[in-house]
Amino acid sequence: MTVALMWEARAVDGRGDELLAWARAQEIHGADGGPVRRETFRAPQDRVLVITWWDAALDAELPELAEPDGELVTRAVHRWRFESVERA
């Protein structure tokens, strides 16, 4: 099964590039190695989104990106977990 972990944060105004650089520099490794795939996105309002895909069950213990320094973000990080489904 494939599970996708989504991590989204909003930087303090004007610090989006710094948050993006911080997110890109974070390494994520579990007991069985790293994610199968990882993508990083940016959006208006200095938001950064990181999605990692893992070959694991939805409820598996998986490493996630940490919370950045509180002075870099405007709020707590949002996190979601999704499992893949077969095409209909």
Side-chain angles (χ1 to χ4, degrees):
M1 174 185 299
T2 299
V3 62
L5 303 183
M6 296 177 63
W7 176 100
E8 186 264 341
R10 183 173 177 190
V12 171
D13 286 340
R15 295 185 70 184
D17 288 339
E18 188 178 344
L19 178 59
L20 179 61
W22 180 91
R24 284 180 164 172
Q26 302 307 301
E27 293 189 25
I28 306 171
H29 296 287
D32 296 327
V36 174
R37 180 176 165 194
R38 175 180 174 159
E39 288 191 51
T40 304
F41 303 86
R42 69 178 343 160
Q45 300 177 325
D46 291 321
R47 290 179 293 144
V48 174
L49 171 68
V50 178
I51 305 173
T52 57
W53 286 262
W54 302 82
D55 185 17
L58 183 63
D59 60 353
E61 282 195 38
L62 297 169
E64 297 192 40
L65 285 177
E67 293 274 338
D69 178 27
E71 294 185 13
L72 181 59
V73 293
T74 61
R75 57 167 168 72
V77 168
H78 291 176
R79 300 170 193 275
W80 300 274
R81 188 176 279 226
F82 297 90
E83 64 183 336
S84 63
V85 294
E86 293 182 27
R87 289 187 164 175

